[in-house]
Amino acid sequence: MPDPLDIVDPADETSGTADRLARARIRAASMFRALPEEIHDLGRRFEAAGYELALVGGPVRDAVLGRSSADLDFTTSARPEETETILRQWTHDGAIWDMGREFGTLGGVRDGVKVEITTYRTESYDSTSRKPQVAYGETLEGDLSRRDFTVNAMAVRIPSLELVDPFDGLADLARTVLRTPVGPEQSFTDDPLRMMRAVRFVSQLGLRIEDSTADAIEALAERITIVSAERVREELVKLMLGAHPRGGLELLVELGLAAHVLPELPALSLEIDEHHHHKDVYQHTLTVLDQAIDLESPAGSGGPCEAPDLVLRLAALFHDIGKPATRRFEPGGVVTFRFHETVGAKMTTKRMKALTFDKDTTKKVARLVELHLRFHGYADAPWTDSAVRRYVTDAGDLLQHLHRLTRADVTTRNRRKSKALARAYDELEARIDELAEQEEIDRIRPDLDGNRIMEVLEISPGREVGEAYKHLLELRMEHGPLGEDRAIAELRTWWEARQRG
């Protein structure tokens, strides 16, 4: 049997790239051989029936990169009805499902090994839509030609383990280059979402977009507007959760895509005043994102804000989007951005709704944007205990996110100022911990619950109970635990004043 990665190196490859290609072959060959026996058995069944079967796309790319993949996507020369017959025999118990028979896709599972199998396809597109007209294809190479990028246009025949790489995707991975199997203008005209995928792969895999491919994205960026907000959001989330989101976001702006899907980001590139009284807000934002990521807990640690934390990363991205709308030039050349956190929270909500984010994520990110400047009052003058309690209560379940966002928001080059801010926040966190230990601050409640309030005041359920509860909570926030006797006395005093008023 031939080497599973038996390809010829391109003549112009450097020795360094050739070395990476060699290592990639070894890694991939090892991972392909280690595929579950159920997969090898499935390949033998297709082969015995006279059909081709190949592992394709992302799982092949990931294997070359030395990564395991939970997805096992296959393509085949068999038509769906023929695939169904083989799958039913392979699963033993007929555990198959229809993923989209009209597109030739069926799925099955055997002993925990899940597969999805699609008949070879060809596609044609209407210029007004990214949804293709799909027809069955005849060859594996033809099926691969419709893929988005060369690094995803590789396949491994099963069970022979022969690598099929008609567009040199393996070499592109070794060079860390992203390009399309066909002309990029045609590829992005056919499916504009591929332009978002390109910047997403920069973030996820650390690839760089080949020049002609980048030029095509820039020229066709406006076509992204025909893609649904849901699909754009999915790609943006994957970009934000990647290992290199800053690089992806920079390309999103440079290539003109952000102007259509996230216009608030390029808007941060404010013209710097001649005296440099304010920072480059765009670069500051990207630095805050980098620093927030550095403050995430390690993946799998179970710690707060475990990497990758989407809420924290989005809050870092959006935290200053209110600045362009609030910038004012004051006498003496001073530049201000008053209430940009409040304006920014509203803008964040609006943009995230437009991108169809879920309500919970939207609410959390907007709240962090709204609160991200609160600490600076503490840095100017230490707070009372009641102010610290309010800070914690206002942050609620987002306190750990707010801690990290606030620390990440310090990008000054003045080392003394930076150290002073860090010390001030260390002190604030220490005070929060002390108060939490004393009062279980994360579960602050009034000294009397609703039932006790009704009993003391001899009233029935209604708005007055809620108002009394709120009054006692304010006292609790201001003074700490009151104890039942004092709480009852304060409640009666408030009630009598209310009755007189």
Side-chain angles (χ1 to χ4, degrees):
M1 181 170 53
D3 188 317
L5 292 175
D6 184 19
I7 69 168
V8 177
D9 292 351
D12 61 347
E13 291 300 329
T14 64
S15 59
T17 300
D19 288 343
R20 289 194 294 273
L21 277 167
R23 291 195 298 271
R25 289 195 196 96
I26 294 171
R27 276 197 308 268
S30 174
M31 296 193 76
F32 295 147
R33 293 189 185 102
L35 284 168
E37 172 54 31
E38 289 84 356
I39 298 304
H40 296 285
D41 177 58
L42 182 64
R44 289 191 291 269
R45 290 174 184 268
F46 272 84
E47 186 177 56
Y51 302 114
E52 298 176 345
L53 181 72
L55 184 68
V56 69
V60 179
R61 179 200 68 222
D62 289 344
V64 171
L65 295 172
R67 304 175 180 181
S68 60
S69 177
D71 298 323
L72 292 174
D73 298 327
F74 296 84
T75 187
T76 181
S77 60
R79 296 297 190 256
E81 59 274 12
E82 297 154 347
T83 296
E84 181 177 2
T85 298
I86 297 172
L87 270 179
R88 288 195 183 280
Q89 296 170 348
W90 175 75
T91 61
H92 300 320
D93 58 2
I96 70 170
W97 54 88
D98 193 329
M99 304 293 294
R101 186 179 294 266
E102 68 273 23
F103 297 110
T105 303
L106 297 171
V109 60
R110 173 173 144 188
D111 297 332
V113 178
K114 295 181 180 179
V115 300
E116 291 183 13
I117 305 175
T118 301
T119 299
Y120 293 160
R121 300 195 308 191
T122 61
E123 297 172 347
S124 60
Y125 290 82
D126 184 312
S127 62
T128 62
S129 171
R130 62 172 294 268
K131 295 181 179 179
Q133 297 294 320
V134 178
Y136 294 140
E138 299 299 328
T139 66
L140 175 57
E141 288 78 4
D143 183 88
L144 294 175
S145 71
R146 69 182 181 82
R147 306 281 165 166
D148 53 2
F149 302 105
T150 62
V151 297
N152 294 328
M154 298 182 288
V156 174
R157 296 187 188 275
I158 306 295
S160 69
L161 300 184
E162 173 195 357
L163 179 73
V164 181
D165 183 20
F167 304 103
D168 289 329
L170 184 61
D172 284 347
L173 272 182
R175 295 195 304 264
T176 66
V177 168
L178 195 67
R179 62 184 181 91
T180 55
V182 298
E185 293 83 1
Q186 176 189 334
S187 182
F188 299 143
T189 297
D190 287 347
D191 186 356
L193 187 63
R194 290 171 178 167
M195 297 187 290
M196 286 291 295
R197 289 199 194 110
V199 295
R200 185 246 290 183
F201 282 125
V202 170
S203 170
Q204 283 187 323
L205 304 177
L207 302 178
R208 58 183 176 85
I209 302 176
E210 182 259 344
D211 288 346
S212 64
T213 303
D215 290 343
I217 294 175
E218 190 169 8
L220 296 168
E222 188 177 5
R223 277 190 60 75
I224 197 67
T225 58
I226 73 170
V227 179
S228 70
E230 290 83 1
R231 298 305 300 274
V232 169
R233 183 206 67 233
E234 289 173 6
E235 292 299 325
L236 180 61
V237 167
K238 291 175 182 177
L239 185 160
M240 291 299 296
L241 296 179
H244 315 280
R246 179 173 187 154
L249 290 169
E250 287 174 333
L251 279 173
L252 203 68
V253 172
E254 291 171 17
L255 300 179
L257 290 169
H260 302 289
V261 302
L262 194 63
E264 296 82 1
L265 185 57
L268 293 177
S269 296
L270 299 174
E271 180 182 352
I272 302 297
D273 63 289
E274 60 179 330
H275 300 293
H276 291 265
H277 286 296
H278 69 83
K279 302 174 183 176
D280 180 334
V281 184
Y282 172 65
Q283 290 298 328
H284 164 75
T285 294
L286 296 178
T287 300
V288 172
L289 174 60
D290 283 342
Q291 293 182 168
I293 291 171
D294 289 341
L295 293 172
E296 292 174 336
S297 298
S301 67
C305 305
E306 183 178 324
D309 191 295
L310 181 63
V311 168
L312 178 61
R313 295 184 181 197
L314 287 174
L317 178 65
F318 286 123
H319 81 284
D320 271 351
I321 65 168
K323 279 191 170 181
T326 58
R327 183 171 64 158
R328 298 291 183 271
F329 293 96
E330 307 291 349
V334 176
V335 180
T336 63
F337 303 95
R338 291 192 180 93
F339 306 115
H340 77 268
E341 70 278 15
T342 304
V343 172
K346 293 177 181 178
M347 292 174 64
T348 296
T349 299
K350 183 178 180 180
R351 176 52 52 194
M352 291 185 68
K353 284 183 177 179
L355 288 169
T356 69
F357 277 89
D358 64 275
K359 291 182 180 179
D360 184 59
T361 302
T362 300
K363 183 178 179 180
K364 287 178 178 178
V365 174
R367 185 61 169 158
L368 286 168
V369 172
E370 183 181 7
L371 294 175
H372 82 274
L373 282 185
R374 183 76 66 85
F375 157 72
H376 291 278
Y378 184 91
D380 296 335
W383 294 340
T384 62
D385 284 352
S386 64
V388 175
R389 292 188 190 100
R390 290 185 188 283
Y391 185 77
V392 174
T393 302
D394 288 347
D397 294 339
L398 295 170
L399 181 62
Q400 291 299 328
H401 288 80
L402 185 58
H403 283 337
R404 285 156 177 76
L405 178 60
T406 301
R407 289 185 181 277
D409 195 24
V410 178
T411 62
T412 177
R413 294 180 182 177
N414 185 321
R415 295 184 64 184
R416 185 164 62 178
K417 182 178 179 181
S418 177
K419 288 182 178 180
L421 287 169
R423 283 196 302 270
Y425 207 83
D426 288 343
E427 180 186 332
L428 175 59
E429 285 202 69
R431 288 187 63 194
I432 289 171
D433 291 342
E434 290 171 4
L435 285 171
E437 193 173 320
Q438 296 167 6
E439 306 176 10
E440 296 185 343
I441 196 169
D442 56 341
R443 293 189 295 275
I444 288 178
R445 298 290 186 274
D447 294 81
L448 306 177
D449 63 16
N451 290 329
R452 191 75 176 101
I453 289 171
M454 289 188 289
E455 181 182 335
V456 170
L457 299 181
E458 298 179 351
I459 58 176
S460 301
R463 185 180 63 185
E464 294 167 329
V465 178
E467 292 174 353
Y469 186 95
K470 183 177 180 181
H471 173 69
L472 289 177
L473 180 59
E474 289 290 329
L475 291 175
R476 172 74 169 78
M477 296 286 292
E478 187 68 28
H479 303 291
L482 303 177
E484 184 174 18
D485 290 344
R486 181 181 171 187
I488 290 174
E490 294 282 0
L491 177 62
R492 284 177 171 156
T493 299
W494 170 82
W495 180 251
E496 290 169 3
R498 188 179 186 281
Q499 295 297 98
R500 288 196 303 269

